[in-house]
Amino acid sequence: MKISVLGPDVNESELTFTVNQEGNIRFGLGGIKNVGEGAVEAIIKERNKNGKFKGIFDFVERVNLSACNKKAIESLAYAGAFDAFNDIKREQFFVTNSKDENVLESLIKYGNLYQQDVLFNENSLFGSLDNAVEISKPEIPYVPDWTSLDRLNWEKEVIGIYLSDHPLNEYEFEMKHICNATTSDVSDLSKFPLGAGIKLGGIIVDFHRGTSKNNTPYGFITIEDYMGTYKFPLFGKSVQQFGQYMIKDLFIYGHAVVQEKGSEWRRGTPDSNEKPELELKIIDLKPLKEVRKLIKNLYISFPLQNLDREIVDQAIDMILTNGGDINLYVEVKDLFTMEKVSLFSRKHRVSINSALFKFLEEAQELEKLTYRIE
């Protein structure tokens, strides 16, 4: 529906999910772990009374820090609710400054002192004296950005989903064109015939190693993709063969086959009257970044009726600026007569990267071309 779901924002979010003026969905502050209704009410009440917060110092100077406590502010930071502020970024909340103070704690301390001073001056006959002591703002040191995966993992921890991005988006091409199933598809293996080849991509979110009573090694790898998770069992030689990939947060590609559960170790002939229980047996695992090397050929077909100078120039530019080792085949096809001219690029080969993939996807959506890989 082309509606964006925006992350939480202390200057726009309400308690629950709302629609902003641009017609996009804004994540509700009440959907963040450790952020209770009291904290949200304190933020919204102050925002409605005195306007939007200008930055993190303005925020801690104004919001009720008894209601919006350290745990709430910590979760708001992890969720990206302060990302619109120019004076701090997520990473900076959690570092130590030159005074050996945690930045988040120093901000809360500063906010409490500032609010106490304001309250004292309001109640004092001499509250407007010019020689009042100014409370210094705490130092916020520079720190390197978190990796995209670290950033998204914290985001998922406090709001339950990847929202600002998805770690697998870097491998969108592989997920769409090389993998042939999702974790949702394999949740019901009865849909597949015995021996069916399944190709899955995802990120390892959990793993386990163990030894059976017979002193046989076994293990499990849980892979997550866009649709959910799936736990792959590993037995015997598979543990030795693929144990090196038992690494949390590793982007992984798995080739598996559908088989009867226990067929590797069960003795005797199963009862033919019983419906067999199925499982996926991994026959190959490799890092997802290596899968693109399996692509040998790219085929691009241009419909003659939609061919114009602009798409030709764009295609030429993409081919010339994204050289690689993948064979390129181009055809121009008349959709009325079905006649076509097929060409093989002897001089230029390509590399399928994010730029070329984006071009192909957008052009295909506009019906300027179709493409496939082998």
Side-chain angles (χ1 to χ4, degrees):
M1 295 173 67
K2 308 297 183 184
I3 299 174
S4 296
V5 180
L6 306 176
D9 186 322
V10 293
N11 274 333
E12 187 171 78
S13 294
E14 301 290 335
L15 175 64
T16 59
F17 288 75
T18 51
V19 178
N20 66 10
Q21 293 181 349
E22 288 74 37
N24 295 314
I25 298 171
R26 178 62 78 175
F27 199 95
L29 296 179
I32 304 173
K33 183 179 178 181
N34 301 318
V35 181
E37 288 192 28
V40 179
E41 182 181 347
I43 293 170
I44 295 174
K45 181 179 179 181
E46 175 58 32
R47 189 177 72 200
N48 291 341
K49 182 180 179 181
N50 295 308
K52 293 184 177 182
F53 303 103
K54 300 178 179 64
I56 192 59
F57 293 111
D58 187 45
F59 180 85
V60 296
E61 288 170 0
R62 292 167 50 190
V63 78
N64 184 341
L65 295 174
S66 296
C68 189
N69 57 25
K70 175 186 173 183
K71 198 66 179 176
I73 295 175
E74 178 182 83
S75 293
L76 287 167
Y78 279 134
F82 300 116
D83 282 0
F85 292 169
N86 295 322
D87 53 356
I88 196 168
K89 58 184 181 180
R90 297 188 200 186
E91 297 87 342
Q92 291 175 300
F93 281 93
F94 308 102
V95 297
T96 302
N97 60 26
S98 61
K99 295 182 179 179
D100 202 29
E101 296 175 324
N102 174 269
V103 169
L104 175 56
E105 292 177 353
S106 68
L107 284 168
I108 294 173
K109 181 181 177 181
Y110 163 78
N112 280 319
L113 289 173
Y114 183 92
Q115 292 184 32
Q116 289 173 15
D117 188 60
V118 169
L119 183 62
F120 175 79
N121 288 335
E122 287 177 350
N123 296 328
S124 172
L125 292 174
F126 308 101
S128 61
L129 289 179
D130 295 333
N131 61 352
V133 177
E134 182 180 349
I135 302 172
S136 60
K137 294 179 179 178
E139 173 197 1
I140 300 180
Y142 167 80
V143 290
D145 292 344
W146 286 334
T147 65
S148 175
L149 187 57
D150 285 338
R151 188 182 183 91
L152 290 170
N153 279 340
W154 278 118
E155 192 174 284
K156 186 180 180 184
E157 173 69 21
V158 294
I159 65 177
I161 57 172
Y162 299 118
L163 186 59
S164 62
D165 199 358
H166 195 288
L168 284 172
N169 285 352
E170 181 181 351
Y171 299 99
E172 185 180 1
F173 178 84
E174 287 83 349
M175 300 294 291
K176 183 172 183 178
H177 292 284
I178 298 178
C179 298
N180 62 5
T182 68
T183 54
S184 177
D185 296 327
V186 298
S187 62
D188 180 13
L189 292 176
S190 63
K191 298 183 296 185
F192 300 93
L194 282 174
I198 304 295
K199 298 175 182 178
L200 281 173
I203 181 173
I204 295 179
V205 294
D206 194 19
F207 65 89
H208 172 73
R209 294 175 184 265
T211 304
S212 69
K213 294 180 181 179
N214 298 327
N215 205 32
T216 302
Y218 69 90
F220 294 94
I221 295 178
T222 303
I223 295 178
E224 179 179 281
D225 63 6
Y226 291 111
M227 305 303 294
T229 61
Y230 188 84
K231 182 184 287 187
F232 285 94
L234 298 174
F235 297 104
K237 294 181 180 179
S238 294
V239 179
Q240 300 173 357
Q241 186 177 1
F242 304 123
Q244 61 180 312
Y245 298 121
M246 288 186 175
I247 303 173
K248 192 175 186 300
D249 293 335
L250 177 67
F251 296 99
I252 199 77
Y253 166 81
H255 188 185
V257 293
V258 179
Q259 67 175 23
E260 290 186 31
K261 191 171 185 178
S263 59
E264 294 177 72
W265 47 266
R266 184 180 57 223
R267 295 182 179 180
T269 304
D271 188 345
S272 59
N273 295 320
E274 291 185 6
K275 188 175 181 180
E277 189 175 354
L278 302 178
E279 67 179 2
L280 282 180
K281 172 181 169 55
I282 293 179
I283 60 175
D284 189 25
L285 277 182
K286 57 170 58 72
L288 199 52
K289 64 182 180 181
E290 296 182 5
V291 175
R292 207 169 290 191
K293 298 176 184 177
L294 303 176
I295 302 172
K296 302 300 181 184
N297 304 307
L298 170 64
Y299 298 85
I300 303 177
S301 178
F302 295 93
L304 180 62
Q305 282 70 22
N306 295 338
L307 197 60
D308 56 44
R309 186 75 252 173
E310 182 180 4
I311 191 64
V312 170
D313 289 342
Q314 289 177 351
I316 290 173
D317 181 61
M318 280 293 157
I319 291 167
L320 294 180
T321 57
N322 293 285
D325 56 5
I326 298 174
N327 294 321
L328 174 64
Y329 295 83
V330 178
E331 72 172 18
V332 178
K333 187 174 184 178
D334 189 320
L335 298 180
F336 295 147
T337 66
M338 302 308 291
E339 294 181 349
K340 61 183 180 182
V341 176
S342 300
L343 305 167
F344 170 63
S345 176
R346 299 183 183 278
K347 188 175 180 180
H348 299 286
R349 294 185 177 187
V350 295
S351 170
I352 297 183
N353 51 31
S354 298
L356 181 57
F357 175 54
K358 182 180 180 181
F359 162 73
L360 293 172
E361 284 287 289
E362 291 179 351
Q364 183 166 262
E365 187 174 340
L366 294 172
E367 298 183 347
K368 295 291 186 177
L369 58 81
T370 59
Y371 75 96
R372 64 184 175 88
I373 62 163
E374 288 183 355

